[in-house]
Amino acid sequence: RKEVEQDPGPFNVPEGATVAFNCTYSNSASQSFFWYRQDCRKEPKLLMSVYSSGNEDGRFTAQLNRASQYISLLIRDSKLSDSATYLCVVNEPFSGGYNKLIFGAGTRLAVHP
Amino acid sequence: EADIYQTPRYLVIGTGKKITLECSQTMGHDKMYWYQQDPGMELHLIHYSYGVNSTEKGDLSSESTVSRIRTEHFPLTLESARPSHTSQYLCASSEASGATEQFFGPGTRLTVL
């Protein structure tokens, strides 16, 4: 079982649609959570952190359910520029008191006119 | 924009050549990472460093080696390139403390003929 699992998509949606991505993680000791965005043939960039109480940034809302080990990202009013791959990222404790980021394989979103 | 740089951006080279992929960051981050990513696939951690003179192998076995002689510099070397090394190589860095985001360089797209 992968440590971070995502639906690979692609999600093909029209402009203005609301789309939700889900992600599950296997390590209950995971400490922090992020959504990254990666455009085609580009590097990943942080979209938003995910907090236990849920958080919103404009059209983007992230939710965390620690009991179910589940993270979600909701995008409202989709724009053409939202087309990208969205990576679910989990920070896990590691040996020596360190931690490391585990990246999901990503969910591809294609927004069409 | 993150201050992390990679050179070259693109490299096409013949089998058996020795290559070094450069990565440098000006943010003073102690932690640095190398990931390998094939098109449409997830990132795999191949090396990481927690500071000067610290290097560790990541989750994915790699024939490459790294060094960390200076905080800002984390080069990756392949002694003898093979077609199986064809991939995108992404360098990242993060602050030493806490579960913070990683900042990625633009990547080096390597093709070994």
Side-chain angles (χ1 to χ4, degrees), chain A residues 32 36 38 43 91 94 98 100, chain B residues 37 48 50 59 99 102 105:
Chain A
S32 56
Y36 276 69
Q38 186 172 24
E43 73 272 24
N91 192 311
F94 196 51
Y98 296 107
K100 63 176 180 177
Chain B
Q37 185 180 33
Y48 60 96
Y50 288 126
D59 303 319
Q102 291 182 11

Side-chain angles (χ1 to χ4, degrees), chain A residues 16-107:
Chain A
T18 295
V19 60
F21 303 141
N22 303 321
C23 168
T24 57
Y25 60 95
S26 60
N27 189 337
S28 60
S30 298
Q31 298 171 336
S32 56
F33 311 89
F34 308 90
W35 283 101
Y36 276 69
R37 169 189 169 133
Q38 186 172 24
D39 292 304
C40 187
R41 303 175 83 85
K42 298 281 191 180
E43 73 272 24
K45 292 186 178 180
L46 180 69
L47 178 66
M48 59 196 303
S49 301
V50 186
Y51 304 120
S52 297
S53 54
N55 48 300
E56 190 173 307
D57 183 1
R59 297 181 293 109
F60 299 84
T61 301
Q63 298 277 356
L64 167 65
N65 184 323
R66 283 188 186 271
S68 301
Q69 295 179 202
Y70 170 93
I71 306 157
S72 66
L73 176 68
L74 184 76
I75 305 175
R76 292 181 300 277
D77 189 22
S78 300
K79 311 289 185 192
L80 295 176
S81 57
D82 293 334
S83 298
T85 297
Y86 291 83
L87 308 175
C88 177
V89 184
V90 172
N91 192 311
E92 290 189 354
F94 196 51
S95 62
Y98 296 107
N99 44 45
K100 63 176 180 177
L101 293 187
I102 308 295
F103 286 81
T107 299

Side-chain angles (χ1 to χ4, degrees), chain B residues 36-49:
Chain B
Q36 186 174 339
Q37 185 180 33
D38 292 323
M41 304 297 286
E42 63 223 86
L43 287 93
H44 291 286
L45 181 68
I46 52 174
H47 297 283
Y48 60 96
S49 167

Side-chain angles (χ1 to χ4, degrees), chain B residues 30 37 54 64 82 85 104:
Chain B
D30 283 320
Q37 185 180 33
S54 150
S64 57
R82 293 207 302 271
H85 296 139
F104 284 83

